[in-house]
Amino acid sequence: MENMQAVNSFVAAYLKKKGFKEAEQLLEDLQNKDSAPIDFHNDPELAKFIHRFSQSEDDVARYQDGYSKLRSWTYSSLDLYKHELLRVLYPVFIHSFMDMVAKGHLQEARTFFNNFREDHELMHSRDLQKLEGVLSQSHLEEMEFARSLRQNKVNIKICQYSYDLLLQYLHKTQSTAMLGVINEHINFQVSSGQPSSISDDAEVVTLLGSCQDAANQINQKEIHWGLLEDSLEERLEKAGGLLSDSEKTEEENKEGDVDETKKRSVESGKQGASTKKLKKEKALNATAKSARPETSTTPAAPRVKSKLPLPLMSTEVEQSILEDLRNRVQLSSVLLPSVSFYTFLNTHNGLNCSSISHDGSLVAGGFSDSSLKVWDMAKLGQQGGSSILQAENDSTSSEHVVGPNGGKKSYTLFQGHSGPVHSATFSPLGDFILSSSADTTIRLWSTKLNANLVCYKGHNYPVWDVQFSPVGHYFASASHDRTARIWSMDRIQPLRIMAGHLSDVDCVQWHANCNYIATGSSDKTVRLWDVQNGECVRIFIGHRSMILSLAMSSDGRYMASGDEDGMIMMWDISSGRCITPLMGHTSCVWTLAFSCEGSLLASGSADCTVKLWDVTTSSKVPRNEEKSGNPNRLRLLKTLATKSTPVYSLQFSRRNLLFAAGALSKNM
């Protein structure tokens, strides 16, 4: 009888500790009614169960044994469900390790970590490097990354059948340690139907860095993603949008007249044939132009007012931009852009960044020796000889070789930084260039005067990225101090400071209407900030590694982000949701650029390729395809490979010519 009372009190204590209030109340009611005592001697399963819990809670062997068996079972599962079940292993692994550390079993935790870390190196190498530094119980509280992991749950999407299989295994094997970890740290989002595709893995596991509930709450805020009122594009649409066609036909007619005068000595029959050919080509072009707007069912972007005082634009500059807009080539999945690739030679691994002006006339490079160099393509072309063209394999691209020429300097040297230059950006008109450095400063240079104008100080650590706004005058910076800042050229102090990321802010990008900026961070999230009040209005969660590049569509509707693993994600800014992941790169995506009308996305990577993606189809995935995980939603149009040149920067000109730049690598 005494034994039974001891068992009952033990069970009651366990239920109370685990928070099973209803079960505790039922047990208490049964005891009060003097019902028959539980005979655990005649129930071997119950006896075994109670014996497991009566063991010391500090028995770390349960973690090692439980995880090893779960891992073996997962890898031996049916292929149809294996990739869903594998998603559970990583969060179970890291939380088992941290639980062992929290209980003081440091040596056993280190052994456990080293035994199984190889399984997760490919997808989570940066996380594992951080957790490797957890050497004591105090580190779990002091390290922000570890603390956020323990405080928040991991969200995992899984189908109903995979979920049932997992529960059956846990109950059958009585893996109480694994069951406890899963119950405490994983939130399953169970869906009916077939398992999701393997290609969806990037978006089904949300590994933390930010509380999902807080992100959902922030993403409810209202944002106005449209274009600015009375922009040049809007004026062109209203007034002079059709001038380009008439001007082009006039130019074509003039060219036709010239051709006819040259060919007067040719037989009249041949002249007639050539005229018919010209007419046919013009007719085909006209039908293609008229068909283009009909295929686009996307509603026009709404117009919004600017939250920032915009700089005035001279009439000369305005006319120049309008001329470019009139002559813009309308790109599509059929009509791809021409690509001009600038290759830096003899950099000796010293080139950190590159930037190209909007018209491609200027190319800048930031170097590890703290220098900034700017090449003028017009002057470089006049020098001739060995300094200019080298053809690439693809017929639509050419490669300009930027390097020493006959001992003369073919560039303008800007010196002033005292640390490596990590980023450079040209103003929209190309008359200014900004550079950011490890010396914590940002410098403004004049390309007309070839001189440093201002040194902006405000960040406390290296500044990884700096970007001019689409209208110039304002610029944004991203730093190792976990903040992004907004500046104006005429003030030496920042106008706004955006704080909220849990790690380095690695890249920054302006929204098309200049009312928002986006920041990508090593905490694997992208945030959208309101420039007027500095508040975070969107958090985009889904990447598995640090974000290295961002791009905004011309209408401000979509955003693309590229990460260290080669994954690109297309986001709907209004809802904050990922429309589709774009997979194809095998290394870091260092640069992204939307075409001017927003129909194509170009991506440049350390894998030495430029890829062109069809945005119009990638951003309109049918519901049935979304549920079935159809891999056809990844619309890769073309891959342009360089010989051995990682792609540092991409830039579409206003006329939709694509410029790219990188440094030739001899190691590849």
Side-chain angles (χ1 to χ4, degrees):
M1 190 67 181
E2 289 178 5
N3 287 338
M4 291 311 306
Q5 286 177 352
V7 169
N8 288 341
S9 61
F10 171 77
V11 172
Y14 169 75
L15 294 174
K16 186 175 183 180
K17 181 180 179 181
K18 294 297 180 183
F20 301 136
K21 293 182 180 178
E22 291 184 12
E24 184 187 356
Q25 187 62 45
L26 283 171
L27 180 65
E28 194 177 325
D29 291 345
L30 286 170
Q31 288 174 346
N32 292 338
K33 289 179 181 177
D34 295 323
S35 57
I38 301 170
D39 187 4
F40 69 94
H41 295 291
N42 297 327
D43 191 343
E45 290 297 318
L46 180 62
K48 197 188 293 182
F49 186 76
I50 291 173
H51 175 68
R52 284 181 179 275
F53 282 113
S54 65
Q55 292 177 343
S56 168
E57 288 186 12
D58 292 340
D59 186 10
V60 293
R62 291 186 298 131
Y63 288 102
Q64 181 99 12
D65 185 55
Y67 180 79
S68 181
K69 287 179 179 176
L70 176 65
R71 177 178 175 271
S72 301
W73 173 79
T74 305
Y75 278 105
S76 61
S77 300
L78 289 173
D79 288 345
L80 183 63
Y81 305 103
K82 185 191 290 185
H83 70 274
E84 283 202 330
L85 295 169
L86 283 173
R87 295 168 188 162
V88 179
L89 286 183
Y90 178 64
V92 170
F93 167 69
I94 57 174
H95 284 292
S96 297
F97 166 69
M98 288 191 288
D99 282 355
M100 291 162 74
V101 172
K103 292 175 180 178
H105 300 284
L106 305 179
Q107 189 59 48
E108 293 87 344
R110 183 58 50 198
T111 305
F112 173 79
F113 186 82
N114 292 332
N115 285 347
F116 298 109
R117 71 174 294 172
E118 195 175 330
D119 296 344
H120 313 287
E121 278 286 359
L122 185 63
M123 297 298 293
H124 306 285
S125 58
R126 289 183 67 85
D127 286 355
L128 295 176
Q129 287 170 13
K130 292 177 184 176
L131 289 174
E132 200 172 18
V134 176
L135 303 173
S136 68
Q137 293 163 301
S138 61
H139 288 172
L140 293 175
E141 294 298 323
E142 293 168 2
M143 187 183 292
E144 195 167 358
F145 177 69
R147 192 168 68 247
S148 67
L149 283 172
R150 288 177 70 77
Q151 287 174 353
N152 302 312
K153 284 192 172 185
V154 180
N155 290 322
I156 296 181
K157 292 181 184 175
I158 194 170
C159 78
Q160 184 66 53
Y161 193 73
S162 298
Y163 181 68
D164 292 340
L165 282 175
L166 180 63
L167 286 185
Q168 278 181 0
Y169 164 79
L170 292 171
H171 287 296
K172 186 178 178 181
T173 58
Q174 295 182 358
S175 303
T176 51
M178 297 300 98
L179 188 61
V181 169
I182 289 171
N183 182 58
E184 191 173 351
H185 298 292
I186 298 179
N187 177 38
F188 288 104
Q189 297 175 350
V190 183
S191 60
S192 56
Q194 292 296 313
S196 57
S197 165
I198 296 178
S199 64
D200 292 336
D201 272 13
E203 45 183 329
V204 291
V205 182
T206 305
L207 283 168
L208 309 173
S210 167
C211 178
Q212 186 68 43
D213 295 336
N216 291 337
Q217 193 173 353
I218 288 172
N219 289 354
Q220 299 302 316
K221 293 181 181 178
E222 186 182 5
I223 63 170
H224 304 284
W225 54 266
L227 296 176
L228 288 176
E229 290 178 349
D230 198 33
S231 63
L232 290 177
E233 288 88 347
E234 188 178 17
R235 279 188 239 168
L236 189 65
E237 285 172 18
K238 288 179 180 176
L242 300 173
L243 289 177
S244 62
D245 291 339
S246 59
E247 285 172 6
K248 283 177 185 174
T249 45
E250 281 175 18
E251 286 172 10
E252 285 170 1
N253 290 336
K254 285 176 185 175
E255 288 171 9
D257 292 338
V258 172
D259 290 339
E260 281 176 13
T261 55
K262 285 181 180 177
K263 293 179 182 178
R264 276 179 186 172
S265 59
V266 185
E267 293 175 357
S268 59
K270 285 185 179 179
Q271 279 184 348
S274 64
T275 311
K276 281 180 184 176
K277 256 188 181 179
L278 279 169
K279 284 182 179 177
K280 276 186 181 179
E281 285 173 6
K282 286 178 188 177
L284 283 169
N285 287 337
T287 52
K289 283 174 187 173
S290 61
R292 175 72 185 160
E294 289 174 8
T295 58
S296 177
T297 56
T298 309
R303 302 293 162 177
V304 298
K305 291 181 179 179
S306 174
K307 296 179 181 179
L308 294 173
L310 298 181
L312 294 174
M313 191 181 294
S314 68
T315 310
E316 227 175 87
V317 170
E318 197 173 298
Q319 290 304 317
S320 172
I321 295 173
L322 286 170
E323 182 66 23
D324 285 340
L325 295 178
R326 286 194 191 99
N327 291 287
R328 176 184 291 170
V329 177
Q330 292 297 315
L331 302 177
S332 67
S333 57
V334 182
L335 185 61
L336 299 180
S338 296
V339 185
S340 182
F341 201 109
Y342 300 104
T343 302
F344 291 81
L345 298 182
N346 305 315
T347 60
H348 307 292
N349 295 323
L351 183 72
N352 291 334
C353 63
S354 65
S355 181
I356 307 166
S357 63
H358 280 263
D359 59 0
S361 62
L362 298 173
V363 179
F367 292 84
S368 297
D369 64 1
S370 76
S371 66
L372 177 70
K373 298 173 183 176
V374 177
W375 284 262
D376 188 328
M377 292 297 108
K379 292 177 183 175
L380 203 63
Q382 289 168 7
Q383 291 171 4
S386 62
S387 62
I388 268 285
L389 290 169
Q390 176 184 329
E392 276 287 350
N393 296 331
D394 189 79
S395 60
T396 62
S397 64
S398 60
E399 188 158 346
H400 301 271
V401 181
V402 181
N405 179 34
K408 295 179 182 178
K409 284 185 180 178
S410 55
Y411 56 82
T412 303
L413 178 64
F414 294 100
Q415 289 181 310
H417 285 295
S418 58
V421 177
H422 291 300
S423 178
T425 176
F426 283 99
S427 64
L429 303 179
D431 48 352
F432 298 104
I433 183 170
L434 283 165
S435 60
S436 66
S437 169
D439 65 11
T440 75
T441 67
I442 302 160
R443 287 182 180 265
L444 178 70
W445 314 82
S446 169
T447 56
K448 299 278 169 63
L449 303 173
N450 294 336
N452 182 219
L453 303 179
V454 190
C455 178
Y456 301 96
K457 298 178 181 179
H459 287 289
N460 303 316
Y461 290 94
V463 185
W464 301 131
D465 193 20
V466 63
Q467 291 293 327
F468 259 115
S469 74
V471 297
H473 188 68
Y474 300 101
F475 59 93
S477 59
S479 171
H480 177 58
D481 63 15
R482 305 181 189 179
T483 68
R485 302 181 188 222
I486 294 175
W487 312 71
S488 65
M489 288 170 57
D490 57 352
R491 297 184 182 221
I492 60 170
Q493 296 298 327
L495 305 177
R496 293 285 182 276
I497 298 176
M498 280 70 174
H501 280 294
L502 301 176
S503 190
D504 295 37
V505 183
D506 298 300
C507 53
V508 64
Q509 190 59 252
W510 285 83
H511 190 270
N513 63 23
C514 300
N515 290 336
Y516 304 96
I517 64 163
T519 54
S521 170
S522 294
D523 67 13
K524 306 176 193 173
T525 67
V526 180
R527 289 175 180 248
L528 190 72
W529 309 83
D530 188 316
V531 300
Q532 189 175 39
N533 52 32
E535 282 186 7
C536 179
V537 293
R538 287 290 180 276
I539 300 180
F540 304 91
I541 299 175
H543 281 284
R544 287 189 168 187
S545 59
M546 63 188 291
I547 288 91
L548 299 175
S549 54
L550 295 168
M552 294 281 185
S553 64
S554 55
D555 63 358
R557 191 188 305 264
Y558 303 116
M559 178 180 68
S561 55
D563 66 23
E564 191 181 33
D565 294 334
M567 170 75 71
I568 301 167
M569 302 191 90
M570 187 79 72
W571 305 92
D572 183 311
I573 288 177
S574 182
S575 65
R577 294 182 179 178
C578 177
I579 299 168
T580 175
L582 304 174
M583 289 180 284
H585 285 295
T586 57
S587 189
C588 311
V589 180
W590 279 336
T591 178
L592 293 165
F594 278 95
S595 61
C596 293
E597 77 293 327
S599 61
L600 297 180
L601 174 69
S603 59
S605 168
D607 63 11
C608 302
T609 63
V610 174
K611 292 183 185 290
L612 299 173
W613 310 84
D614 187 356
V615 174
T616 53
T617 49
S618 296
S619 57
K620 296 175 186 174
V621 184
R623 286 280 179 189
N624 56 352
E625 282 190 22
E626 224 174 47
K627 288 180 182 176
S628 64
N630 190 345
N632 292 332
R633 63 185 180 150
L634 309 178
R635 307 303 204 275
L636 175 61
L637 297 175
K638 191 156 192 173
T639 299
L640 303 170
T642 63
K643 290 173 182 174
S644 182
T645 307
V647 185
Y648 282 40
S649 59
L650 293 168
Q651 175 73 53
F652 274 98
S653 72
R654 293 191 185 93
R655 300 192 183 196
N656 264 340
L657 172 64
L658 179 58
F659 297 106
L664 184 69
S665 174
K666 294 180 181 177
N667 301 327
M668 302 184 117

